[in-house]
């Protein structure tokens, strides 16, 4: 027998969407966060949003058939200070599909801080699996502004500040805020 009361509570919890607006120099991107499946990643991301950490940062890594990455550097290549790394939440049934946002990290699984990326195609190799792939934690999806993401992915890139795939044109994240 199903516990209908529990299901209704779960439905209410899941139906309360957390939407953020990412204003960029190329246009706005709205992202629906998924605190039910990725509570640590969402809380971490929102903590950076509340501190205005992302304001004035750039998409510093753009690979047209892979993803666009931001959240850590200013246009002059300065890396912004970050909080302690968070626990990896890649085993959450969310896939690195086109239009999803995930936490960027180093080769160390529990190393994500402020940087994120938006997948511009389905990136199955980034998904957690039982064969030992730690994966990358998806924590939301673009609900509006995918045309902005697609415009960003077409910008030519080069090596700048010692980093490859840096766009030749700055794509600035003016600010990110929670939508009321």
């Amino acid at each position: 027998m199903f516990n209908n009361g529990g299901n209704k509570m779960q439905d209410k919890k899941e139906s309360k969407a957390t939407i953020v607006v990412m204003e960029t120099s190329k246009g706005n991107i709205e992202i629906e966060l998924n605190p039910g499946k990725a509570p640590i990643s969402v809380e971490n991301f929102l903590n950076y949003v509340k501190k205005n950490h992302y304001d004035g940062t750039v998409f510093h890594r753009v690979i047209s058939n892979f993803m666009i990455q931001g959240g850590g550097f200013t246009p002059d290549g300065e890396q912004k200070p970050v909080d302690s790394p968070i626990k990896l939440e890649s085993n959450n049934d969310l896939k690195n599909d086109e239009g999803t946002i995930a936490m960027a990290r180093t080769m160390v699984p529990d190393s994500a801080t402020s940087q994120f990326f938006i997948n511009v195609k389905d990136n199955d190799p980034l998904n957690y699996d039982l064969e030992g792939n730690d994966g990358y934690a998806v924590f939301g999806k673009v609900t509006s502004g995918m045309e902005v993401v697609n415009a960003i992915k077409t910008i030519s890139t080069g090596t700048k500040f010692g980093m490859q795939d840096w766009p030749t044109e700055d794509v600035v994240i003016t600010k990110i805020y929670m939508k009321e």
Side-chain angles (χ1 to χ4, degrees):
M1 182 177 281
F2 294 106
N3 179 343
N4 287 336
N7 289 341
K8 285 180 184 172
M9 182 66 84
Q10 186 176 1
D11 290 344
K12 280 185 182 178
K13 189 176 185 180
E14 289 178 8
S15 66
K16 187 180 178 201
T18 302
I19 309 252
V20 294
V21 177
M22 181 182 297
E23 292 184 0
T24 79
S25 54
K26 289 288 186 189
N28 291 355
I29 303 166
E30 286 192 14
I31 301 164
E32 181 178 343
L33 305 179
N34 194 329
K37 297 268 187 176
I40 296 168
S41 299
V42 168
E43 180 181 8
N44 176 69
F45 182 78
L46 289 176
N47 283 337
Y48 283 107
V49 168
K50 289 172 189 166
K51 293 191 295 190
N52 301 319
H53 173 88
Y54 297 119
D55 300 4
T57 61
V58 293
F59 282 96
H60 66 275
R61 187 169 175 230
V62 171
I63 303 174
S64 65
N65 61 348
F66 183 43
M67 57 87 224
I68 62 173
Q69 182 174 333
F73 291 90
T74 61
D76 61 2
E78 291 294 316
Q79 187 165 9
K80 295 194 75 170
V82 295
D83 296 334
S84 297
I86 60 171
K87 180 169 178 40
L88 179 64
E89 292 182 296
S90 56
N91 186 9
N92 63 11
D93 294 326
L94 299 176
K95 304 295 181 206
N96 280 278
D97 291 338
E98 181 179 3
T100 57
I101 185 170
M103 293 304 301
R105 62 174 178 79
T106 67
M107 297 304 291
V108 176
D110 297 336
S111 62
T113 55
S114 67
Q115 292 185 39
F116 58 86
F117 61 92
I118 299 173
N119 290 289
V120 299
K121 70 171 206 144
D122 291 353
N123 284 314
D124 293 337
L126 301 183
N127 294 331
Y128 171 87
D129 66 40
L130 297 175
E131 284 78 51
N133 182 0
D134 291 316
Y136 290 78
V138 172
F139 64 97
K141 65 182 177 184
V142 173
T143 55
S144 176
M146 199 61 196
E147 70 282 357
V148 176
V149 173
N150 289 328
I152 295 169
K153 79 176 184 182
T154 65
I155 296 172
S156 63
T157 62
T159 300
K160 193 172 179 183
F161 309 117
M163 290 181 270
Q164 296 178 345
D165 306 310
W166 191 291
T168 55
E169 169 192 343
D170 287 340
V171 180
V172 178
I173 298 170
T174 312
K175 66 180 173 178
I176 303 178
Y177 57 90
M178 289 179 57
K179 186 175 180 180
E180 297 298 325

